[in-house]
Amino acid sequence: MPEQRTGTAERHAAVRERVDRDWGLELPECLFRYDSFLASLDPDQARVLTDLELSPFGISDLFADPGAAPSDADVDVRAHGRFYRDPPEFLTFMHGGSDGLHFGLWFADGRTCSGVASYYNNDAGELDMTSSTPLEAVRARVEMSCRDMHDYYEGDELAERLQRLAGLRDAVTAFETGDRPKVGVAYLKKHVFVWPPIFDDSATTLDRGGALADGETVLGRPGQNRTDPATFARAVFPTLDDAEKLAAAVEEARRRCADGDPAEALALGRDLHWTSGFDEVREAYAHELLAAAYQALDRPALAGIADAHHRHRRIKSVQVL
């Protein structure tokens, strides 16, 4: 592994302390490897990363200045890098270019990182949960580009572009995924587009991130990846799209949460958050249910993030720092 720059350990410690203090989250070592990877890139490798439209963003901005404060004192720092549909469990660390693609650390338990999620904020797609670390996400984008190059280029130009991608791949594997020799389509089949998918016992949600909570849900939601997304959506939307049914569903989630079972409040709250679509009623229901569920589950960090997000959800720019 390449040597760290002078002062890197101190800077990383400052970022870790800042996020623990202001967000209440414990940053994983894999995020610090991502920062060290960025610092290790030579000009050609950095240019290829830029060509892939991957750039540090969100929480990664603290690596440049761990003490950075919001440019507007009235804006909660936890709104930085937080797009409209980001679940509270999602902490942005990298932007991906077009259509609002961005990547976030995933904090299912409200304290420790359990993986990486990504999605296109401007599209209707779901969360992609196939990467475990930031550098796995970068490696996946490298191999997707390698695959796609064959559709657009040939001959010497194709060879040159693949060689440049290989240089960036080498930079990634110096830190992670060095034990994965396959490239391009072969890599994607083995490590990204895996079938059958990995099952997850967290209750299925419309964003496909899952609601981690013991207890029962109204729909008896199956674990993640145990149901077809379209079939699940057809079971959920009749309630979300009917004002009277939705009000009754929210009241039932409230009752269950007050009785000690927050599973329905968390799952329904996440569905409403994901599908709010600038609807004030859905936004308010989502905020209420999520705040109640996170408090009941002893996840105060997520409750605070949900509150900050609700207050600044319609902010004009997610560039807060």
Side-chain angles (χ1 to χ4, degrees), residues 86-147:
D86 286 3
E89 291 85 350
F90 189 106
L91 186 65
T92 302
F93 68 87
M94 182 169 70
H95 200 273
S98 63
D99 293 324
L101 174 61
H102 59 298
F103 301 76
L105 302 173
W106 188 256
F107 291 86
D109 68 0
R111 179 62 181 171
T112 58
C113 177
S114 55
V116 167
S118 63
Y119 76 100
Y120 294 85
N121 186 65
N122 301 336
D123 286 347
E126 305 152 349
L127 294 171
D128 180 338
M129 310 285 287
T130 54
S131 295
S132 298
T133 70
L135 285 178
E136 280 191 16
V138 174
R139 176 77 189 271
R141 301 302 293 185
V142 168
E143 304 307 343
M144 289 177 191
S145 183
C146 182
R147 173 201 62 189

Side-chain angles (χ1 to χ4, degrees), residues 273-319:
H273 180 89
W274 188 251
T275 63
S276 288
F278 298 96
D279 181 283
E280 292 183 357
V281 173
R282 288 195 185 187
E283 289 177 352
Y285 279 153
H287 177 224
E288 176 195 350
L289 293 180
L290 289 176
Y294 293 137
Q295 292 293 358
L297 290 162
D298 193 24
R299 298 174 191 169
L302 294 185
I305 291 170
D307 182 62
H309 193 172
H310 180 70
R311 286 184 285 113
H312 301 302
R313 199 166 183 189
R314 301 189 184 216
I315 197 168
K316 291 182 178 180
S317 173
V318 298
Q319 184 66 50

